[in-house]
């Protein structure tokens, strides 16, 4: 359901103490399956799977993976079987994203581990098993962050530029939650191709460190190869910041507070793993000079709210003061 809305958010800026004009790009409203950033990637990934005559999609992620949910739902919509490898153990109660995984008819494999390396290995194992049965699996790495998946956000960046131009808004920065790097890589590649537009700042929702930046750089270069363009990447093109050192999926008091403040001030439903962490970082990024310029800031809402409706995250958010 593109283009997704872009709207000014003065109440949100006031509630978070952001002094510059703040706009929100609503990629939580991309459409099918309760939306989110993965819809843009999967449009291209599932397109490639169908072009290659695949008859089954295999992917995975954390126990409450948004990417897994949307692969299950979009796979069902185009009539292709989906196998998901999910972190942790089979739950006794079905909640949040996992409920939708099941309702969409995906075959679920529980990795009994949260380790990304274990999940990736299990995804390959499931694909090999299916291939040995004569099936034609298309493997989507966790997060859908391949150069083809990132193309969704190359297009997304041009969509945003059109909207900013139409609204007459000069935006200096686009801030968003970054994890497997595909969203950011697509946006950065789009900006390099356009030669203009807001700088991209990815808020690392895991522990931080240099890994994400390197991953985004590699992916951008691969996107240029896929597009057949000869472009180079400047050192400043890829900017990331950590989200205060809490690990992936660790709900902090700040995150829980951001979630409720966004809901009460603007009716925005965030999630505690990605979007609330990115929004939490915004005021201190502005104050600390990480967002130079005086133009507007765009917050890209990447979705993820279904995870909030799982016992795990609902209880964490309440425990950390989310209802106060
Ligand atoms: C809601 C949400 N926001 C942001 C991200 C980060 O996107 P990426 O993995 O492309 O960095 C993800 C997925 O990991 C997500 O599910």
């Amino acid at each position: 359901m593109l283009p997704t809305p872009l709207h000014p958010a003065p109440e949100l800026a006031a509630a978070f103490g952001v002094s510059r004009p703040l706009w929100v790009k609503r990629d939580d409203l991309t459409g099918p399956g309760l939306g989110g950033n993965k819809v843009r990637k999967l449009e291209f990934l599932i397109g490639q799977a169908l072009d290659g005559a695949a008859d089954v999609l295999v992917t995975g992620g954390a126990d409450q993976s948004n990417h897994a949910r949307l692969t299950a739902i979009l796979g069902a919509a185009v009539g292709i079987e989906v196998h998901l490898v999910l972190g942790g153990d089979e739950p006794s109660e079905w909640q949040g994203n996992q409920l939708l995984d099941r309702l969409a008819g995906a075959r679920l494999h529980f990795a009994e581990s949260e380790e990304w390396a274990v999940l990736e290995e299990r995804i390959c194992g499931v694909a090999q098993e299916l291939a040995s049965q004569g099936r034609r699996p298309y493997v989507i790495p966790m997060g859908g962050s391949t150069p083809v998946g990132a193309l969704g956000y190359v297009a997304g960046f041009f969509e945003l530029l059109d909207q900013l131009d139409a609204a007459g808004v000069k935006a200096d920065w686009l801030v968003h939650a970054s994890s497997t790097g595909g969203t950011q890589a697509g946006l950065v590649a789009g900006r390099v191709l356009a030669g203009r537009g807001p700088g991209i700042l990815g808020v690392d929702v895991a522990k931080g460190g240099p890994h994400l930046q390197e991953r985004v750089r590699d992916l951008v270069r691969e996107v240029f190869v896929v597009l057949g363009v000869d472009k180079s990447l400047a050192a400043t093109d890829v900017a990331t910041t950590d989200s205060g050192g809490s690990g992936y999926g660790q709900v902090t008091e700040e995150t829980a507070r951001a979630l409720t403040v966004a809901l009460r001030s603007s009716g925005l439903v965030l999630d505690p793993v990605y979007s609330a962490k990115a929004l939490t970082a915004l005021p201190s990024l502005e104050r600390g000079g990480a967002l130079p310029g005086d133009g507007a800031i765009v917050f890209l809402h990447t979705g993820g709210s279904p995870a909030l409706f799982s016992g795990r995250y609902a209880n964490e958010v309440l425990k950390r003061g989310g209802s106060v």
Side-chain angles (χ1 to χ4, degrees):
M1 293 170 65
L2 307 179
T4 56
L6 171 75
H7 62 78
E11 302 85 0
L12 197 65
F16 278 82
V18 172
S19 60
R20 283 153 67 182
L22 180 63
W23 288 63
V24 183
K25 171 74 171 154
R26 301 294 301 275
D27 273 12
D28 55 321
L29 302 178
T30 43
L34 296 180
N37 60 337
K38 306 301 177 185
V39 171
R40 289 192 193 264
K41 295 179 180 182
L42 286 163
E43 179 177 3
F44 286 83
L45 290 164
I46 295 180
Q48 189 180 48
L50 296 177
D51 280 352
D55 64 359
V56 54
L57 303 175
V58 185
T59 193
D63 60 335
Q64 281 294 328
S65 166
N66 300 300
H67 162 70
R69 177 238 317 163
L70 284 163
T71 307
I73 293 169
L74 295 171
V78 298
I80 188 166
E81 189 177 304
V82 176
H83 286 246
L84 301 177
V85 173
L86 297 177
D89 301 311
E90 182 164 337
S92 50
E93 289 180 27
W94 294 88
Q95 300 168 340
N97 281 310
Q98 289 187 345
L99 171 64
L100 294 176
D101 298 340
R102 265 197 79 180
L103 294 179
R107 317 286 163 96
L108 306 183
H109 308 260
F110 287 92
E112 294 166 0
S113 164
E114 297 280 353
E115 293 287 321
W116 285 23
V118 174
L119 294 174
E120 292 281 16
E121 206 174 297
R122 205 48 211 287
I123 291 170
C124 291
V126 169
Q128 274 163 10
E129 174 73 28
L130 288 163
S132 73
Q133 295 161 13
R135 304 292 302 277
R136 295 184 305 279
Y138 179 88
V139 175
I140 305 178
M142 293 208 301
S145 287
T146 69
V148 169
L151 292 178
Y153 269 96
V154 175
F157 187 80
F158 281 90
E159 178 183 303
L160 173 67
L161 274 189
D162 283 348
Q163 289 174 312
L164 290 170
D165 289 348
V169 177
K170 177 186 162 289
D172 288 331
W173 289 96
L174 173 69
V175 178
H176 71 95
S178 197
S179 172
T180 61
T183 302
Q184 189 166 359
L187 292 166
V188 170
R191 181 170 183 266
V192 173
L193 289 171
R196 68 187 183 96
I200 315 295
L201 181 64
V203 179
D204 188 345
V205 298
K207 276 196 178 349
H211 175 77
L212 175 63
Q213 235 190 68
E214 283 159 22
R215 170 90 189 115
V216 173
R217 287 185 176 285
D218 289 347
L219 265 173
V220 174
R221 292 195 188 100
E222 291 170 50
V223 168
F224 292 153
V225 172
V226 168
L227 291 175
V229 294
D230 183 19
K231 290 278 180 192
S232 54
L233 202 53
T236 49
D237 284 336
V238 179
T240 57
T241 180
D242 70 43
S243 57
S246 59
Y248 178 88
Q250 300 296 313
V251 183
T252 61
E253 272 154 31
E254 263 190 308
T255 320
R257 196 179 151 272
L259 205 137
T260 54
V261 170
L263 183 66
R264 293 176 194 184
S265 64
S266 329
L268 274 188
V269 183
L270 302 177
D271 80 295
V273 184
Y274 298 97
S275 48
K277 271 194 178 172
L279 194 60
T280 304
L282 206 53
S284 55
L285 287 171
E286 192 195 27
R287 279 196 298 274
L291 303 170
D294 57 4
I297 298 169
V298 179
F299 172 66
L300 176 66
H301 187 343
T302 47
S305 59
L308 183 60
F309 303 101
S310 66
R312 171 180 173 179
Y313 287 118
N315 292 328
E316 276 297 305
V317 168
L318 291 174
K319 201 165 85 193
R320 309 263 167 225
S323 63
V324 177

